[in-house]
Amino acid sequence: MRVPVVPYAEARAAEARAAVDLAAGGPESMLVLAHPPVITLGRMADARNVIATPRALAARGVEVVRTTRGGEATWHGPGQVVVYPVLDLGRRRMGPRAYVGRLIGAVLDAVRSFGVDAFTIDGVVGVFAQPSGARPSKVAALGVSVSRGITGHGVAVNVCADLGWYDLIVPCGRADYGVTSMHLLLADPPRVE
């Protein structure tokens, strides 16, 4: 399967259309894609977690977008798979906390299926791995929104991402954890596809 590269604004518009269809009784859906380089900030994020100057961001062609999801600053771009589930939690008889727990569980299962020794850390949202001799590092970031019971945003998994992009931000507002990618954790890493 080829993962389409979709500009962030276009993906958000597609997600919004899917949410409207779902609210009108249509099916649940899931967008699986990649973005050109973009930094997103959650609705309550501290903009100071974008540590690159506007000039440096412009030189690399990176826009910064404030979003409606939870969480802090994150980067999306090449080598990363982004998944936006558009689900009706009412139909599923599930609250937001249970949904986040299930989403994290699904990401753990998916990443582990490739051989990554992935884990979670109490009180920190995301999926982690521990590269040899390094501190725990996030391999998948999660930021969701729920409006009228319908989910938005989702999860980003670093498959073969250039981690140099993360030098532009304090990832997820946490300097105490690193960031990693599946290709750095596995002898035979998967391709984005």
Side-chain angles (χ1 to χ4, degrees):
M1 175 177 109
R2 187 175 165 275
V3 178
V5 178
V6 180
Y8 188 76
E10 287 181 31
R12 292 292 298 136
E15 186 181 33
R17 286 190 302 273
V20 168
D21 289 347
L22 179 56
E28 295 180 321
S29 59
M30 184 178 318
L31 289 84
V32 180
L33 49 87
H35 291 303
V38 62
I39 293 170
T40 62
L41 297 171
R43 64 183 170 273
M44 303 296 281
D46 186 341
R48 292 176 294 184
N49 284 322
V50 178
I51 55 178
T53 65
R55 185 179 201 173
L57 293 169
R60 294 190 72 180
V62 179
E63 70 175 316
V64 177
V65 179
R66 179 75 63 178
T67 71
T68 58
R69 67 166 170 77
E72 279 287 339
T74 195
W75 167 84
H76 298 299
Q80 186 181 72
V81 175
V82 181
V83 180
Y84 296 130
V86 182
L87 307 176
D88 184 336
L89 297 185
R91 286 185 197 174
R92 292 172 171 268
R93 302 181 199 278
M94 182 185 309
R97 278 189 200 273
Y99 168 65
V100 169
R102 286 252 179 103
L103 188 56
I104 288 173
V107 174
L108 276 169
D109 289 346
V111 172
R112 286 174 177 163
S113 75
F114 289 99
V116 173
D117 186 17
F119 56 92
T120 59
I121 297 174
D122 286 342
V124 183
V125 177
V127 173
F128 292 81
Q130 191 151 359
S132 180
R135 63 188 176 183
S137 297
K138 197 173 274 193
V139 69
L142 183 126
V144 302
S145 64
V146 178
S147 177
R148 295 187 173 116
I150 295 177
T151 65
H153 300 278
V155 64
V157 180
N158 290 334
V159 178
C160 55
D162 174 355
L163 301 183
W165 291 100
Y166 286 97
D167 293 343
L168 303 173
I169 62 173
V170 178
C172 300
R174 301 288 302 248
D176 49 343
Y177 298 106
V179 178
T180 192
S181 183
M182 291 173 67
H183 78 285
L184 299 173
L185 301 167
L186 299 170
D188 186 22
R191 297 180 342 181
V192 169
E193 292 78 15

